[in-house]
Amino acid sequence: METELLDAMAVERAAQLLREGGLVGIPTETVYGLGADGLNPAAVKRIFQVKGRPQDNPLILHIPSQDALEQYCREVPPRAYRLAEQFWPGPLTMILRRKELISDVVTAGLDTVGIRCPAHPVCLELLKRAGVPVAAPSGNTSGRPSPTTARAMLEDMAGKIDAVLDGGPCGVGVESTIIDLTVTPPRLLRPGGVTLEQLHAVIGDVAVDGAVSHIMEEWEQPRAPGMKYRHYAPKAPVTVVCGPAGSAAEYILAHAAPRDGILCFEEYAAFFSGRPFYSLGSEADYSEQARRLFESLRYFDATDVPAIWAQCPEATGLGLAVSNRLQKAAGFHIIEVTAC
Ligand code: TXA
Ligand code: MG
């Protein structure tokens, strides 16, 4: 199959492919998604095949506005409307009870569905024109970093899907925040573009799922099935060094082999000159770090570095999402250093 690369002007063509049961790489503000008509079980099944995704890992349904919530969800709590008012369109996925018309293929047989209204203008236009809710996981092959450009999307999916709609590089760079609103208190299943602090400010108490901070043990039941898989794993093993950035840099310099890859803050680039390194952006600029993170992991995947060492932002604001993705890439292999 030849994969068409469509520019933003060709959004109608992308909508047509979706309506016909095709698979289309779609831009969103977080990462590119691998989209299909969410009401067409045969099309949705193909998403799992081309991604190599386990069948028990449900997909997010993308809708063009808050008005579509009640079409697909039941018993929608007042909190969901408050969050939608505040953060939609935007990088927030809500887990809600689903209506029957959504296929088991989308929800992996769960009684709930993840639903989100994305903020990317090209994506919103596509959703409106397609006239169907679009089921889409991140557009990577399972186990690879999520794609944040059309080029990265093609790297994984060329020849396997009908088209990629190019909406430019993703502005957020990490996947949406996921909050489960079917439990009390609501539970953060994945940190993302909408921060925990922002959620607190709108709905008060929010619990944080264990999967955010550690690998789930066999006996633990993660509430987001996807969290039990070791995502974003680059070819080389990753060690994340947390703590004051200066001490982390010293630690890495002392322990990394000369050929190891270094993922560091811009301020420490000079420390690592002569070594393979990739700058995550400035130490305090979590937004830039989020935008660069997955590209950096793809960059090292294209090299033969035997190991990767990474500095890690603080777990506040968007820093929580960045540190979570880094730590997942490391299989939670984390070293804590203290001020030196
Ligand atoms: O930003 C994003 O959310 C991107 C873009 C394309 O929208 N999508 C994305 O999808 O990251 P995916 O499939 O890579 O991650 C969705 C996560 C998975 O961990 C999945 O297990 C969880 O959401 N999930 C989906 N439906 C769920 C449900 N009903 N209950 C609990 N977790 C759910
Ligand atoms: Mg994913």
Side-chain angles (χ1 to χ4, degrees), residues 69-115:
L69 253 182
E70 272 161 35
Q71 256 174 289
Y72 308 112
C73 303
R74 58 188 165 85
E75 300 161 38
V76 179
R79 286 187 185 112
Y81 294 105
R82 293 218 300 279
L83 289 171
E85 273 315 311
Q86 203 67 37
F87 300 119
W88 276 4
L92 179 70
T93 298
M94 300 195 257
I95 307 294
L96 294 164
R97 303 224 172 274
R98 67 153 162 147
K99 283 194 172 161
E100 285 298 310
L101 84 163
I102 300 175
S103 151
D104 276 343
V105 187
V106 173
T107 66
L110 296 176
D111 184 37
T112 57
V113 64
I115 196 150

Side-chain angles (χ1 to χ4, degrees), residues 246-259:
S247 311
E250 298 277 8
Y251 184 95
I252 293 171
L253 205 56
H255 291 83
R259 287 178 52 243

Side-chain angles (χ1 to χ4, degrees), residues 15-319:
Q16 178 199 4
L17 287 167
L18 287 172
R19 284 192 302 267
E20 289 171 354
L23 298 190
V24 178
I26 61 169
T28 84
E29 79 281 29
T30 58
V31 300
Y32 275 71
L34 175 50
D37 173 355
L39 300 178
N40 177 339
V44 175
K45 266 189 194 140
R46 285 183 48 226
I47 293 179
F48 288 86
Q49 286 159 6
V50 304
K51 256 186 86 92
R53 182 176 176 106
Q55 302 268 346
D56 67 350
N57 193 1
L59 307 181
I60 294 173
L61 211 54
H62 297 73
I63 55 174
S65 84
Q66 183 184 332
D67 302 341
L69 253 182
E70 272 161 35
Q71 256 174 289
Y72 308 112
C73 303
R74 58 188 165 85
E75 300 161 38
V76 179
R79 286 187 185 112
Y81 294 105
R82 293 218 300 279
L83 289 171
E85 273 315 311
Q86 203 67 37
F87 300 119
W88 276 4
L92 179 70
T93 298
M94 300 195 257
I95 307 294
L96 294 164
R97 303 224 172 274
R98 67 153 162 147
K99 283 194 172 161
E100 285 298 310
L101 84 163
I102 300 175
S103 151
D104 276 343
V105 187
V106 173
T107 66
L110 296 176
D111 184 37
T112 57
V113 64
I115 196 150
R116 140 164 144 89
C117 175
H120 196 293
V122 177
C123 186
L124 282 176
E125 184 62 25
L126 174 68
L127 292 172
K128 282 181 196 141
R129 289 193 189 216
V132 293
V134 172
S138 51
N140 52 291
T141 302
S142 277
R144 291 262 291 155
S146 296
T148 52
T149 61
R151 187 190 39 70
M153 178 85 217
L154 280 169
E155 228 170 69
D156 285 15
M157 292 298 157
K160 297 181 182 167
I161 64 176
D162 297 279
V164 173
L165 179 58
D166 190 348
C170 301
V172 177
V174 292
E175 304 88 343
S176 61
T177 303
I178 304 181
I179 186 160
D180 186 347
L181 295 176
T182 68
V183 291
T184 308
R187 182 173 278 258
L188 178 76
L189 305 187
R190 181 174 74 181
V194 171
T195 66
L196 186 56
E197 294 85 346
Q198 287 175 303
L199 294 172
H200 275 309
V202 177
I203 56 166
D205 195 18
V206 176
V208 177
D209 199 66
V212 173
S213 58
H214 64 273
I215 294 182
M216 301 305 275
E217 303 289 342
E218 281 292 306
W219 51 267
E220 288 179 286
Q221 269 295 338
R223 296 197 62 96
M227 299 302 271
K228 69 174 178 263
Y229 301 107
R230 182 178 165 218
H231 278 318
Y232 326 114
K235 281 187 298 190
V238 180
T239 305
V240 174
V241 185
C242 298
S247 311
E250 298 277 8
Y251 184 95
I252 293 171
L253 205 56
H255 291 83
R259 287 178 52 243
D260 287 354
I262 315 286
L263 195 46
C264 66
F265 300 130
E266 189 65 42
E267 290 83 348
Y268 294 88
F271 249 68
F272 301 109
S273 66
R275 293 165 180 264
F277 83 94
Y278 196 105
S279 166
L280 266 179
S282 189
E283 181 182 349
D285 190 348
Y286 301 147
S287 307
E288 186 62 20
Q289 293 163 24
R291 270 192 295 277
R292 291 192 194 182
L293 181 63
F294 288 136
E295 269 303 293
S296 74
L297 297 179
R298 282 180 180 258
Y299 167 80
F300 282 125
D301 262 354
T303 69
D304 56 0
V305 296
I308 299 169
W309 299 77
Q311 284 182 302
C312 190
E314 276 179 45
T316 59
L318 193 54

